[in-house]
Amino acid sequence: MFDVKETPACLHDLVRAQARRTPGAAAVVYEGEKVSYAELDERAEALAATLRQAGAGPDVRIGIVTERSLQLVVDILAVLKAGAAYVPIDPAFPAARIAMILQDAGARILLAAGAVTGRHSPPAASAAGPEALAYVIYTSGSTGRPKGVCVEHRNIVNYVKGVSRELRLRAGMRHALVSTVAADLGNTVLFPALATGGCLHVMARNRTEDPELFADYVSRQGIDVLKITPSHLHAVQSAPRPARALPRERLVLGGEPLPLARAAELRALAPHCEIYNHYGPTETTVGALMYRVPETLPQTRSGTVPIGAPLPGARVHVIDANGMPCARGAQGELLIGGAGVARGYLGRDDLTREKFVADPVGGPGRVYRTGDLVRLLPDGNIEFCGRSDDQIKLGGHRVEPAEVEHVLREHGGVRQALVRARNEGDNAQLVAYVVPRRLEQPLWNHPSVHVLPDGTPVAHLNRNETEYIFEEIFVRRAYCRHGISIADGDCILDAGANVGLFTVFASRMAKDLTILAFEPNPPAFERLQANAKAWGGRVLCLPYGLSSDEKWADFTFFEGMSLLSGVYADPAKESRVVETYVLNGNGAHRMDAGWNAEVAQIVEERMRASTARVKLRTLSQVIAEHRLERIDLLKINVEKSELDVLRGVCAADWPKVRQLVIEVDRRSDVEPITLLLRAQGFEVCIEQDPLLQKTDLCYVYALRPGPRLRGTPAATDLVLSPGSLRKHVAEHLPRHMVPSAFVLMDKLPLTANGKVDRDALPAPELPAQRSDPLPPRTATETALAAIWSELLQVEHIGMQDDFFDLGGQSLLAIRMVARIREAFGVEVKVRNLFERPTLHGLCEVIDGMVWAQNNSRGASGGANDREQLAL
Ligand code: AMP
């Protein structure tokens, strides 16, 4: 173990000292690769030299986005040897999350897939001391953003030495690293193994997600030491003979409560293995307390195994709400002091001051307020009783619901979001309650309110028209194609706003918009105003039309087709356009004469016309009046007056216009419009809508050439549904933070004093969106449906059902992998499920694997017994 005389100051020194003691011993094994201590040291030293040249040095943060592999261990040691601090990021995180962490950490050098990218100006001093930063680990943040915990060498060195001693680690022991190093639970084996002459077996991701592969590895490789969360262990123990998944000598469980019953089960499965319950927040460096599970389990109020007593160097207090020490047996908050107390949160001084405080009992140094409720047992051990705040553990991962809520609220269509956990242990799941960003209450009292397919109420004129516009704007995104984009803070002019659905759409795409909406048709204008008011944004509704000059004109308004109203309206011709549209849309199905007559009648009713005098002004007048310095998007839908609107822009104002999208009604106008726009320096693109073939209608898109504009979200993102919300969250947060159910609500239930009444939140109706699921058709689908039914506790699984919509999460997915292997004899991966989450999709994967397996077996002459039995 450690030689007191050469007590190393830094983490990498511990490994270096070991490399001197046992240079030829196996240090790291990963699948087919193996390195000795001397080789590991050499490889890390070579990479450290490169990193130093790139600017690595004390307190420089270097991102590591490397898959669990031998290279990962080399990368970590190299960063430490170079004197810098590593910021481990799980490569499975969404790109946006990775980018956000790298930015927050100020990491300008990155190690990914074995390559170094980026540079940093070299720091003055180059060797790290005990007070230098060793790593920054990001953990979920209650303010909506993850926070980086800064751990110094002296913190982690203290931990490695303490835990190695408590676990009585010996040279030659085989340790398995089975969890991500992006959280610190992996550090219980990673560094202690390498500091005590152990052999670190880095387990590949697919093995840790497959019960059979996991058990096979642990038993065949003779793993001695395993650190794992109780829920991960439970998931990988779903293969036959679960004892095979257990190590020979030390099983260290941690990260979440360990139920007594579970500990008893494990004891019985591995009577010769020492089992430990290990506890500690990242902020006090991996673990601060440990409890060796005795032969006879104690009884506790919480029903969970005690978390034990402080590790060497750690100090704990249990305090009450007044900051006074609690009497033995009384519940209070756990404070941790001592050598493991981290430096604080990177760049978050306020939060650091709030959580890392002076020792209330007068001890030396700061203590960390864990937020964990505990009590001191008569025997001196500590029992974990729960949290004092909303923080939860899901599958061993720390999750602040507020962070998930923050991401949900960034979805343009969400007004309010509340996330909470339901159930405990293995069945714990996150549920998101979402109130769509919709109109204020007064709108519900509007005489003609219509609810859009995504649940948003709007004031409108008539249903068919509103549905047509919804389809055009939200689903087909007719105004946002070919590079047209809407970004935060944009100024948008909507000429021919009708009832204002484009405003609703734009407000979902971006924040802080300024919108000027023009609508001369009085009934449509009245709805436009109601909608704009309800939306509460900066929408200015102007009751006039736009043209080439300021004047008055006679407008023809159609009662049931306000869309076609305008100064050039011709009732007979408009009727034909509407008729063609309806017939095109119903194309192949309804070609009979009766249907045509029906359509003609509907059209006639809708097209009853009336006229009114309308004020027309020029765009340049409006630009001057409202002092508009830029127009990010000019949208025009003005029934044949498009050219007139464009002619109302004077030369000096054209450069202010960045993008245009115009619905052009007359074929003959397309050319002059295109010419005009090109002359003003725009790139122009013309598209005819498929539903409007055989009519003159088309869309003209115009953009100023230059750097590519920010992309706009896909159409489905704007239609609020559980699916689009899940997609949005999954693009920003790690898998374990994606809620398994999304409940759309009109409003959140409130208590008498106006707070959200959490107890009144409904249980998610699983699966709420399934109306008559299509029953499984093939033998594979039927067999897999039975497995899903049992795992997800949902009856009547349909072909199109999505595993995650039904409440599935990663740990259940691991158990499903084992069940699929038993039933079909193939190795489906958790990744396959993420790619093909429906019953039907996953069955195609399974069938493909079975087919490939049979064919390769057929070619080599023998059939697979297990498969034949299973099928
Ligand atoms: P993390 O920083 O991700 O390690 O999470 C630390 C938190 O996990 C603690 O504050 C506890 O709430 C919880 N935790 C960790 N280990 C245990 C354990 N053995 N028993 C109960 N809760 C635990």
Side-chain angles (χ1 to χ4, degrees):
M1 184 100 54
F2 315 106
D3 181 342
V4 184
K5 274 183 269 146
E6 58 162 286
T7 297
C10 291
L11 184 54
H12 50 285
D13 295 334
L14 294 175
V15 186
R16 187 85 210 274
Q18 186 60 44
R20 291 215 190 94
R21 287 193 290 269
T22 54
V28 188
V29 173
Y30 172 76
E31 300 299 316
E33 295 173 81
K34 188 182 208 169
V35 285
S36 67
Y37 272 88
E39 286 161 346
L40 175 66
D41 195 54
E42 215 171 278
R43 279 179 62 173
E45 196 54 66
L47 182 54
T50 311
L51 290 174
R52 279 189 208 102
Q53 275 166 8
D59 278 16
V60 169
R61 273 90 57 191
I62 300 186
I64 297 187
V65 194
T66 304
E67 257 312 333
R68 214 155 48 237
S69 60
L70 202 148
Q71 184 63 42
L72 173 65
V73 182
V74 173
D75 287 356
I76 291 175
L77 283 178
V79 171
L80 296 172
K81 274 172 179 282
Y86 71 94
V87 184
I89 306 175
D90 195 324
F93 283 180
R97 177 78 164 187
I98 296 178
M100 188 230 253
I101 294 179
L102 288 173
Q103 197 193 10
D104 190 87
R108 269 173 276 169
I109 307 175
L110 178 66
L111 279 168
V116 183
T117 45
R119 287 200 76 76
H120 199 276
S121 36
S126 63
E131 318 235 296
L133 210 50
Y135 60 76
V136 181
I137 282 188
Y138 275 80
T139 181
S140 190
S142 57
T143 54
R145 282 172 67 80
K147 51 192 190 272
V149 180
C150 296
V151 171
E152 297 175 354
H153 281 270
R154 60 191 179 91
N155 302 138
I156 180 77
V157 166
N158 169 73
Y159 171 73
V160 171
K161 293 206 284 188
V163 81
S164 302
R165 195 176 318 148
E166 290 296 298
L167 292 173
R168 303 182 326 284
L169 301 180
R170 302 181 313 270
M173 279 180 134
R174 295 170 189 185
H175 304 246
L177 176 65
V178 302
S179 42
T180 174
V181 296
D184 72 355
L185 81 152
N187 289 0
T188 305
V189 285
L190 176 58
F191 299 114
L194 297 176
T196 57
C199 177
L200 183 70
H201 285 251
V202 181
M203 213 189 265
R205 187 185 289 272
N206 68 327
R207 278 187 200 282
T208 61
E209 293 177 344
D210 183 323
E212 181 59 34
L213 297 183
F214 186 97
D216 184 63
Y217 192 92
V218 171
S219 56
R220 275 209 283 134
Q221 298 289 334
I223 294 299
D224 299 302
V225 187
L226 173 66
K227 161 81 183 281
I228 192 167
T229 64
S231 48
H232 187 187
L233 181 62
H234 185 229
V236 292
Q237 281 196 305
S238 44
R241 296 188 289 132
R244 287 184 306 143
L246 298 177
R248 298 194 297 200
E249 300 200 30
R250 314 276 191 272
L251 171 64
V252 186
L253 294 161
E256 63 192 355
L258 172 62
L260 285 166
R262 183 76 182 117
E265 241 173 73
L266 292 167
R267 270 246 133 284
L269 281 176
H272 304 296
C273 178
E274 293 174 13
I275 302 176
Y276 292 86
N277 187 14
H278 194 22
Y279 159 95
T282 309
E283 288 85 342
T284 55
T285 314
V286 197
L289 290 101
M290 196 148 75
Y291 179 76
R292 179 161 168 195
V293 179
E295 292 289 317
T296 319
L297 288 164
Q299 288 305 308
T300 56
R301 271 193 227 161
S302 62
T304 63
V305 173
I307 52 176
L311 282 173
R315 212 172 65 234
V316 298
H317 303 302
V318 184
I319 56 151
D320 64 17
N322 301 320
M324 299 304 288
C326 286
R328 195 172 279 252
Q331 186 173 298
E333 186 184 0
L334 180 69
L335 306 190
I336 303 177
V341 178
R343 185 187 287 184
Y345 301 113
L346 188 65
R348 310 278 287 271
D349 293 346
D350 287 357
L351 195 60
T352 303
R353 275 195 291 276
E354 187 188 320
K355 298 283 180 182
F356 295 82
V357 297
D359 189 328
V361 188
R366 298 167 310 151
V367 293
Y368 170 67
R369 303 187 52 169
T370 65
D372 287 324
L373 299 174
V374 300
R375 58 194 197 100
L376 190 58
L377 298 171
D379 65 359
N381 280 306
I382 284 180
E383 178 187 349
F384 178 82
C385 311
R387 290 286 306 173
S388 63
D389 58 12
D390 290 338
Q391 183 184 301
I392 44 178
K393 278 287 178 130
L394 280 175
H397 299 284
R398 179 164 156 183
V399 177
E400 292 286 357
E403 196 180 342
V404 187
E405 288 165 3
H406 179 84
V407 167
L408 276 167
R409 270 188 231 111
E410 282 188 338
H411 184 290
V414 172
R415 176 151 110 196
Q416 264 178 305
L418 188 95
V419 172
R420 56 171 288 181
R422 294 189 83 88
N423 310 329
E424 300 211 324
D426 289 350
N427 291 325
Q429 55 166 213
L430 278 185
V431 181
Y433 296 90
V434 171
V435 180
R437 199 165 131 200
R438 54 176 59 152
L439 309 167
E440 300 293 342
Q441 209 59 20
L443 201 72
W444 289 106
N445 303 327
H446 193 279
S448 48
V449 67
H450 172 77
V451 180
L452 295 178
D454 65 354
T456 307
V458 287
H460 79 145
L461 287 168
N462 81 70
R463 183 166 161 199
N464 289 312
E465 212 175 16
T466 306
E467 281 175 359
Y468 167 76
I469 312 174
F470 179 79
E471 166 84 14
E472 176 193 43
I473 295 179
F474 283 77
V475 181
R476 282 187 281 128
R477 288 209 305 160
Y479 296 98
C480 262
R481 294 195 217 178
H482 303 293
I484 300 286
S485 68
I486 298 177
D488 292 352
D490 274 0
C491 171
I492 298 175
L493 265 52
D494 183 357
N498 199 266
V499 300
L501 287 198
F502 187 71
T503 297
V504 176
F505 171 81
S507 315
R508 290 220 182 143
M509 302 262 278
K511 293 193 267 289
D512 305 324
L513 300 175
T514 301
I515 303 177
L516 275 68
F518 304 85
E519 180 49 58
N521 178 0
F525 183 77
E526 190 273 325
R527 271 69 168 183
L528 170 69
Q529 268 191 315
N531 288 331
K533 190 167 155 226
W535 268 84
R538 267 184 312 209
V539 184
L540 184 63
C541 304
L542 301 167
Y544 42 79
L546 290 169
S547 191
S548 49
D549 329 84
E550 184 172 17
K551 59 188 171 205
W552 286 87
D554 285 329
F555 259 48
T556 308
F557 295 116
F558 300 103
E559 254 170 51
M561 263 302 153
S562 62
L563 281 179
L564 298 178
S565 307
V567 68
Y568 296 112
D570 165 349
K573 214 169 157 205
E574 307 315 347
S575 301
R576 277 198 302 282
V577 171
V578 176
E579 206 170 310
T580 312
Y581 170 75
V582 176
L583 290 171
N584 282 355
N586 290 276
H589 316 293
R590 305 290 301 265
M591 292 304 282
D592 51 293
W595 166 241
N596 286 357
E598 220 177 285
V599 169
Q601 195 190 333
I602 298 171
V603 170
E604 196 196 306
E605 280 169 19
R606 299 259 171 82
M607 299 301 285
R608 245 173 249 133
S610 62
T611 36
R613 269 191 97 63
V614 157
K615 168 96 176 157
L616 297 177
R617 307 189 64 204
T618 73
L619 250 176
S620 276
Q621 283 177 324
V622 176
I623 292 172
E625 197 172 305
H626 295 279
R627 295 202 193 94
L628 301 180
E629 307 216 320
R630 66 184 161 91
I631 296 164
D632 295 290
L633 176 61
L634 171 56
K635 176 217 154 209
I636 306 177
N637 183 348
V638 288
E639 295 318 302
K640 306 190 199 73
S641 309
E642 303 86 24
L643 207 47
D644 291 344
V645 174
L646 298 178
R647 285 183 181 136
V649 182
C650 66
D653 284 332
W654 269 115
K656 297 177 182 164
V657 183
R658 192 162 61 83
Q659 309 178 96
L660 291 101
V661 54
I662 311 169
E663 195 198 273
V664 183
D665 298 309
R666 268 193 305 230
R667 181 65 48 97
S668 57
D669 285 342
V670 173
E671 202 187 330
I673 288 177
T674 312
L675 285 175
L676 188 157
L677 293 174
R678 291 212 169 108
Q680 293 301 339
F682 288 93
E683 274 175 5
V684 181
C685 167
I686 303 155
E687 188 190 16
Q688 180 162 52
D689 192 295
L691 284 180
L692 298 171
Q693 279 163 20
K694 297 192 213 162
T695 74
D696 273 5
L697 268 67
C698 67
Y699 297 94
V700 170
Y701 303 86
L703 274 172
R704 294 214 175 270
R708 244 187 82 79
L709 294 161
R710 210 170 65 100
T712 53
T716 50
D717 294 351
L718 297 161
V719 182
L720 256 199
S721 67
S724 70
L725 288 171
R726 170 170 304 110
K727 184 166 166 283
H728 169 77
V729 177
E731 275 166 10
H732 294 90
L733 294 176
R735 271 182 206 166
H736 61 264
M737 295 178 84
V738 181
S740 32
F742 293 86
V743 182
L744 295 183
M745 304 183 79
D746 279 342
K747 54 182 191 296
L748 295 177
L750 297 181
T751 59
N753 51 16
K755 292 203 171 132
V756 175
D757 184 354
R758 289 168 178 256
D759 296 330
L761 289 168
E765 274 179 40
L766 284 177
Q769 285 66 45
R770 294 191 321 160
S771 49
D772 289 337
L774 288 173
R777 293 165 315 177
T778 65
T780 312
E781 286 175 2
T782 308
L784 186 63
I787 295 174
W788 282 22
S789 265
E790 192 199 317
L791 287 176
L792 300 165
Q793 305 279 300
V794 175
E795 286 177 24
H796 308 303
I797 308 271
M799 262 173 68
Q800 298 300 347
D801 280 336
D802 180 305
F803 183 79
F804 300 103
D805 282 346
L806 300 181
Q809 25 83 349
S810 310
L811 293 176
L812 280 179
I814 294 181
R815 286 163 62 188
M816 187 190 61
V817 164
R819 303 295 305 275
I820 289 178
R821 183 196 301 270
E822 271 173 58
F824 305 100
V826 290
E827 263 175 42
V828 163
K829 308 215 172 359
V830 170
R831 178 170 45 81
N832 295 129
L833 179 66
F834 278 97
E835 286 160 8
R836 305 291 307 272
T838 61
L839 184 79
H840 174 69
L842 194 63
C843 283
E844 283 190 348
V845 175
I846 296 173
D847 287 340
M849 287 181 170
V850 171
W851 184 86
Q853 199 161 294
N854 284 344
N855 273 15
S856 66
R857 294 259 159 68
S860 60
N864 181 325
D865 293 340
R866 189 160 54 149
E867 246 174 59
Q868 290 197 335
L869 276 177
L871 298 173

